Amino acid sequence: MWPSIIEKARVGRLNTIQTYVFWNVHEPEQGKWDFKGRFDLVKFIKLIHEKGLYVTIRLGPFIQAEWNHGGLPVWLREVPDVYFRTDNEPFKEHTERYVRKILGILKEEKLFASQGGPIILGQIENEYNAVRLAYKENGERYIKWAANLVESMNLGIPWVMCKQDNAPGNIINACNGRHCGDTFPGPKRPDMPSLWTENWTTQFRVFGDPTTNRRSEDIAFAVSRFFSKNGSHVNYYMYHGGTNFGRTSAHFVTTRYYDHAPLDEYGMEKDPKYGHLKHVHRALELCKKALLWGHPRFQKLGPDTEVRYYEQPGTNVCAAFLANNNTREPNTVKFKGQKFVLPSRSISILPDCKTVVYNTAQIVAQHSWRNFVKSEKSSKGLKFDMYSENVPSKLEGDTLIPGELYYLTKDKTDYAWYTTSIKIKEDDLPDKKGVKTILRVASLGHAAIVYVNGEYVGNKHGSHEMKSFVFKKPVKLKPGDNHISILGVLTGFPDSGSYMEKRFAGPRGASIIGLKSGERDLTENNHWGHLAGLEGEKKEVYTEQGSKKVKWVKNGERKPLTWYKTYFETPEGENTVAIRMNGMGKGLIWVNGIGIGRYWMSFLSPTGQPTQSEYHIPRTFMKKKEKNMLVIFEEEPGVKLEAIDFVLVNRDTICSFVEENYPASVKYWKRQGPNIVPRNKDMRLKSLIKCPPGKQIVSVEFASFGDPTGSCGNFTMGKCSASKSKEVVEKKCLGKSRCSIVVERETFEDKKCQDIVKTLAVQVKCEKKQGNEQKHKREDAEEEDDDEEEEEEEEKEREGNNQDLKDREKRKQDH
């Protein structure tokens, strides 16, 4: 998927890709390095370079990133006397070895800008301010050591530390957050650039969370504000959110990561976020000369309004950012003799200090709605075989307290068994009616599944905010020996905070309540046995070879801790594929032996819905001609396998929502010397609609020029809709891959409701082109030619701008 995602980022007018380097991915076992497949860091950077983009590297050693253990390898926890992220010799020794290994590989491949490569910036450590107070002077010494380490390697690039106000030496301090234009005090020295390492495009989610999103208008406002206040670099976190395959996500973090980024989990353009940000990038490019060489000016225009502009004395080079900070009301301002209307909470960008080419609150980019369509080919006739895990009743052990779960699992598995036994005398069992014996298990997280005498009792779990929980349920005890078996369950390692090496999880205490003799503590005199991992994992029953090592049965009882296996056809077409886990509880998924990730359908959000229902299966994980093996490990009983289905994911519902007073798209403007001039003869505002590649508009599902409300996928007609709205849109758009509608009253012959600002809302459905294949190929080629022609023209403009920059720099050096 890398090439298409990088290309979409480039088309979205990014010029740099940022990536973490994941220590635990590259050195999962001490001294054993892995740079193969999707861990091929060099290949990833070279692909970016081939697209003409730059790279920034966030090296760690700690990255957080909602990634398992914050990127630190789990074996590091077992290094004698180690303390993470402080002035600790064992930690520094291993960190230096890792840092030199990674930077050595990149240098050998000549990937740094000083060698002609794409890497222009590096980051060491990550958001250290969050833990600095916990480590005091040792923390200060560690940060200085880390800074000296990377600077001593003389790689010819600058280095940053984000959220680190006292970044040592020549390390640049950088900002993370949503509104760094207002919250960041700026670089620590006047000769350093103002850098924004993480502009959060939404919020990552954990199981149990409802849906969250950040509006496109707010992101665009924040970006414009940062550059208007002399910002040099904004990085989106995330621009593409992706999938945490396997067991890579940190504790409770969903398998789907940052789905509401401009490129969604599947790498598809999430509009209008993708398009609206593409437009702000265009607008900023038009301001390039003024931003780089103009003198900054600031002027208060009113109680809530201001202008920040850059002028180059003695020239016509000028760019302005008109801001309205009022979150409720629009404002009219006067600047350089002209009047401008600013919507509430918005910034207008004027690359020549005269022409508004973009406003952060006025979206002229198209919108899209994501559809999940059941794959009939893959979903029909799924018949599952099953294999149930054996529940151990008594494991050898000599500890009086349950073992620590992170230590037991060593990140090889999410599971570890704990067993103990208790002898009960007959006269100690309650004989009063209604009195029950209760098993109470206190756990530090994350979940537990409990059996007594081989019988399932129940399960319990914590949450991202509160990992600890107490399991408390009635149990049937018998005279004599009673065996208690607890499966401790993890949902990933911690990824943040101080003293991570001292975090604990798993059962910490157990007792029986309700006996005649009173509460019986099982952690005083009882021995506990332990066993990490499941039988099915050890035999790799999720692979073809491993599945032959156990006996599968058909139509058995759907007990907890059961493996389910089936085969399915690769879904039809070319659209992205996901499996929808309706009817299931909690567990893990594999396709053809590849871990798809953790699912958790039974942990509902406050809205009563699972946090994530669909789980991404890249087509490259599936076979083209043979059937695919699907294996599910399910922790809970009574699941409904029949409800599982495969879905094809598309963004074929395309919309537009444009008010008649919006500025025309910024793509219609270009720079000609110091001037901003129209690119086209027709500069009227248009509603632009474009289907995904290879598809055409087959129906207009909604059209209204008037006062419609709602959003893409859920528009509602108002009281003032022009009667010809749908007719006009159908005439312009049906059967085409793209279309444009002039947003004017004359277009719709509309004279109703003259006193309101009217809006054109359109929703169309795109489908794969049918019929004359040669004709469609010709049309696609023509469209590609149009795109390439526009891209070439823009490329020439960029080259011209870059040459201007080089000439200016040469004159400066000569002087």
Side-chain angles (χ1 to χ4, degrees):
M1 295 174 69
W2 290 349
S4 67
I5 292 167
I6 295 166
E7 174 62 12
K8 285 174 183 175
R10 188 191 69 82
V11 171
R13 305 189 85 79
L14 299 192
N15 61 9
T16 307
I17 301 290
Q18 175 176 282
T19 182
Y20 283 119
V21 183
F22 304 82
W23 187 358
N24 58 1
V25 154
H26 296 304
E27 194 183 10
E29 295 180 43
Q30 188 175 346
K32 294 182 179 179
W33 297 91
D34 186 356
F35 296 97
K36 300 187 296 292
R38 63 179 195 260
F39 305 151
D40 192 338
L41 176 64
V42 168
K43 181 178 181 179
F44 183 64
I45 294 171
K46 286 183 175 180
L47 281 172
I48 296 168
H49 197 196
E50 286 168 15
K51 294 289 185 183
L53 307 181
Y54 298 113
V55 175
T56 69
I57 286 286
R58 302 179 77 179
L59 189 61
F62 169 80
I63 59 171
Q64 188 164 339
E66 293 72 60
W67 184 264
N68 208 29
H69 215 222
L72 296 172
V74 170
W75 56 259
L76 207 57
R77 295 170 70 94
E78 297 178 24
V79 170
D81 303 318
V82 75
Y83 286 90
F84 296 169
R85 306 178 70 201
T86 186
D87 188 23
N88 171 264
E89 288 306 320
F91 182 72
K92 291 194 300 183
E93 177 188 335
H94 288 288
T95 294
E96 180 169 355
R97 185 176 51 81
Y98 157 71
V99 167
R100 291 191 181 278
K101 174 77 173 182
I102 298 298
L103 295 181
I105 289 170
L106 301 181
K107 183 178 181 181
E108 187 178 334
E109 295 286 341
K110 294 184 168 49
L111 294 175
F112 292 102
S114 56
Q115 303 171 293
I119 301 174
I120 58 170
L121 191 70
Q123 178 183 303
I124 186 71
E125 253 297 334
N126 190 68
E127 296 188 354
Y128 196 78
N129 261 12
V131 298
R132 182 172 57 89
L133 292 177
Y135 297 114
K136 300 179 182 176
E137 294 84 2
N138 284 336
E140 299 295 336
R141 285 196 292 271
Y142 165 67
I143 282 297
K144 287 177 183 174
W145 172 85
N148 290 336
L149 173 62
V150 291
E151 290 204 300
S152 69
M153 295 183 72
N154 297 316
L155 296 168
I157 61 165
W159 287 88
V160 303
M161 286 182 175
C162 61
K163 281 194 170 182
Q164 186 66 34
D165 298 337
N166 63 337
N170 290 318
I171 303 291
I172 305 163
N173 57 308
C175 185
N176 289 359
R178 284 188 178 84
H179 298 106
C180 285
D182 293 310
T183 61
F184 185 46
K188 65 182 185 181
R189 293 201 320 242
D191 63 332
M192 288 183 165
S194 187
L195 306 178
W196 189 351
T197 335
E198 292 185 14
N199 180 3
W200 302 329
T201 57
T202 179
Q203 179 66 36
F204 74 90
R205 289 199 285 165
V206 297
F207 287 112
D209 273 353
T211 299
T212 58
N213 191 18
R214 185 181 175 197
R215 297 177 71 229
S216 309
E217 298 94 323
D218 186 53
I219 305 173
F221 181 93
V223 170
S224 302
R225 189 156 185 81
F226 190 73
F227 282 113
S228 77
K229 296 176 82 171
N230 212 26
S232 295
H233 165 79
V234 172
N235 179 75
Y236 297 107
Y237 191 95
M238 304 284 289
Y239 192 76
H240 166 56
T243 308
N244 290 320
F245 295 114
R247 299 171 40 262
T248 51
S249 56
H251 50 195
F252 290 93
V253 174
T254 52
T255 299
R256 167 183 290 161
Y257 187 64
Y258 258 84
D259 184 41
H260 289 291
L263 295 176
D264 69 12
E265 177 189 7
Y266 308 105
M268 291 187 281
E269 297 160 17
K270 179 178 171 58
D271 282 318
K273 194 172 281 187
Y274 176 85
H276 195 47
L277 294 178
K278 178 180 180 179
H279 287 173
V280 77
H281 304 154
R282 281 179 179 266
L284 289 165
E285 284 171 14
L286 292 173
C287 302
K288 190 184 294 184
K289 272 191 180 180
L291 286 173
L292 288 172
W293 285 294
H295 291 228
R297 306 275 190 261
F298 171 77
Q299 189 179 335
K300 192 81 173 164
L301 301 176
D304 299 311
T305 54
E306 64 187 40
V307 59
R308 294 177 185 273
Y309 60 107
Y310 293 77
E311 282 186 312
Q312 195 175 355
T315 73
N316 292 328
V317 174
C318 182
F321 299 80
L322 304 178
N324 179 10
N325 297 314
N326 190 307
T327 57
R328 295 178 180 272
E329 301 294 331
N331 269 305
T332 300
V333 299
K334 195 170 184 181
F335 174 63
K336 288 188 177 285
Q338 280 184 269
K339 281 188 177 180
F340 300 91
V341 178
L342 302 176
S344 62
R345 178 68 175 170
S346 75
I347 294 176
S348 282
I349 299 179
L350 292 67
D352 57 359
C353 286
K354 295 181 289 188
T355 310
V356 175
V357 301
Y358 179 87
N359 180 273
T360 60
Q362 297 176 324
I363 298 176
V364 297
Q366 72 177 25
H367 302 231
S368 67
W369 178 262
R370 188 168 62 190
N371 304 293
F372 294 94
V373 181
K374 184 175 178 178
S375 166
E376 297 301 332
K377 181 180 179 184
S378 302
S379 302
K380 67 180 180 182
L382 291 178
K383 293 181 180 175
F384 287 87
D385 296 336
M386 56 188 70
Y387 156 68
S388 292
E389 279 286 320
N390 178 52
V391 178
S393 60
K394 192 173 183 180
L395 298 166
E396 291 300 319
D398 56 1
T399 63
L400 297 179
I401 60 171
E404 197 281 307
L405 191 52
Y406 292 133
Y407 176 80
L408 284 172
T409 58
K410 302 186 190 307
D411 199 27
K412 304 290 186 187
T413 173
D414 282 350
Y415 306 99
W417 283 106
Y418 297 75
T419 66
T420 193
S421 300
I422 178 173
K423 184 166 279 193
I424 301 290
K425 294 178 182 177
E426 188 165 359
D427 62 359
D428 208 11
L429 292 170
D431 49 19
K432 286 185 181 179
K433 192 175 182 181
V435 177
K436 297 178 179 178
T437 51
I438 306 290
L439 173 62
R440 183 183 185 275
V441 179
S443 175
L444 295 176
H446 302 151
I449 300 164
V450 180
Y451 289 79
V452 173
N453 296 323
E455 296 292 322
Y456 175 70
V457 178
N459 64 65
K460 184 87 174 178
H461 63 81
S463 67
H464 184 262
E465 289 71 32
M466 184 60 71
K467 279 78 179 172
S468 300
F469 61 89
V470 175
F471 174 93
K472 194 160 60 173
K473 281 200 172 182
V475 293
K476 289 180 182 178
L477 298 178
K478 62 184 181 181
D481 288 334
N482 291 266
H483 302 294
I484 296 167
S485 306
I486 302 168
L487 185 65
V489 182
L490 291 175
T491 57
F493 276 60
D495 71 323
S496 60
S498 55
Y499 298 103
M500 273 175 52
E501 71 285 345
K502 302 303 179 191
R503 301 291 176 77
F504 302 113
R508 302 305 288 165
S511 59
I512 301 290
I513 303 168
L515 298 172
K516 287 181 183 177
S517 57
E519 182 174 345
R520 184 87 62 89
D521 191 331
L522 302 180
T523 54
E524 285 186 348
N525 301 306
N526 279 53
H527 285 174
W528 286 84
H530 305 92
L531 179 65
L534 304 169
E535 280 301 310
E537 287 179 301
K538 292 167 185 173
K539 292 177 178 175
E540 298 185 337
V541 300
Y542 47 81
T543 65
E544 283 288 357
Q545 199 62 34
S547 69
K548 297 170 185 173
K549 296 177 183 178
V550 299
K551 186 177 180 182
W552 299 85
V553 300
K554 299 181 186 296
N555 304 319
E557 183 187 350
R558 295 177 185 181
K559 297 188 286 188
L561 307 187
T562 296
W563 296 83
Y564 297 99
K565 180 185 73 168
T566 191
Y567 289 86
F568 68 95
E569 300 265 8
T570 297
E572 61 274 24
E574 299 173 356
N575 283 345
T576 300
V577 179
I579 182 170
R580 194 157 44 189
M581 299 300 288
N582 293 337
M584 302 302 284
K586 177 181 183 295
L588 295 158
I589 310 167
W590 289 264
V591 169
N592 295 325
I594 304 171
I596 300 303
R598 300 184 182 98
Y599 68 90
W600 202 344
M601 301 293 287
S602 58
F603 192 172
L604 303 181
S605 77
T607 64
Q609 299 296 316
T611 303
Q612 179 179 350
S613 296
E614 300 85 18
Y615 293 80
H616 181 201
I617 308 174
R619 282 192 176 268
T620 51
F621 288 9
M622 292 179 283
K623 301 173 182 177
K624 291 184 178 178
K625 295 181 180 178
E626 302 171 58
K627 284 193 172 183
N628 305 281
M629 184 170 79
L630 168 68
V631 175
I632 300 167
F633 176 68
E634 172 58 59
E635 297 174 20
E636 299 180 9
V639 294
K640 298 177 181 176
L641 297 163
E642 302 76 19
I644 294 174
D645 56 23
F646 292 88
V647 290
L648 296 163
V649 192
N650 70 59
R651 286 192 178 271
D652 291 347
T653 301
I654 307 296
C655 303
S656 181
F657 192 84
V658 181
E659 286 187 13
E660 61 182 334
N661 61 351
Y662 284 6
S665 173
V666 63
K667 68 186 288 185
Y668 293 158
W669 298 96
K670 65 179 180 179
R671 176 170 286 284
Q672 202 169 71
N675 302 315
I676 299 299
V677 298
R679 187 187 294 278
N680 305 327
K681 290 180 182 178
D682 184 359
M683 291 295 290
R684 291 177 296 176
L685 171 65
K686 299 180 185 72
S687 167
L688 303 171
I689 292 171
K690 182 181 177 182
C691 286
K695 297 183 180 181
Q696 64 184 13
I697 298 165
V698 295
S699 65
V700 176
E701 297 178 328
F702 183 93
S704 172
F705 181 70
D707 57 345
T709 56
S711 58
C712 193
N714 192 31
F715 285 128
T716 303
M717 200 74 75
K719 296 178 181 177
C720 287
S721 184
S723 58
K724 289 192 172 184
S725 297
K726 194 167 186 181
E727 180 187 332
V728 169
V729 174
E730 286 180 337
K731 187 175 179 181
K732 287 278 186 182
C733 298
L734 279 180
K736 298 178 181 176
S737 297
R738 65 172 82 188
C739 62
S740 64
I741 305 114
V742 177
V743 186
E744 285 183 354
R745 299 184 184 219
E746 290 77 7
T747 304
F748 300 91
E749 300 174 15
D750 177 47
K751 296 183 179 178
K752 293 191 293 186
C753 305
Q754 296 291 325
D755 57 335
I756 68 167
V757 176
K758 296 200 171 182
T759 299
L760 174 61
V762 175
Q763 179 172 311
V764 304
K765 182 181 179 183
C766 299
E767 281 185 4
K768 190 173 180 180
K769 295 178 179 179
Q770 303 294 331
N772 190 323
E773 196 170 324
Q774 290 302 319
K775 178 188 173 189
H776 294 322
K777 281 184 178 177
R778 190 167 61 250
E779 288 172 353
D780 287 343
E782 287 169 3
E783 286 171 14
E784 285 173 14
D785 287 343
D786 290 343
D787 287 341
E788 284 174 14
E789 191 176 320
E790 185 178 298
E791 189 66 39
E792 281 173 16
E793 193 175 338
E794 291 167 4
E795 193 62 43
K796 285 177 185 174
E797 287 174 32
R798 281 197 289 269
E799 286 173 4
N801 287 340
N802 289 338
Q803 189 58 50
D804 286 346
L805 303 185
K806 288 175 185 174
D807 293 345
R808 173 69 187 237
E809 189 62 32
K810 186 174 187 305
R811 287 197 299 272
K812 187 177 173 184
Q813 288 172 355
D814 290 345
H815 177 71

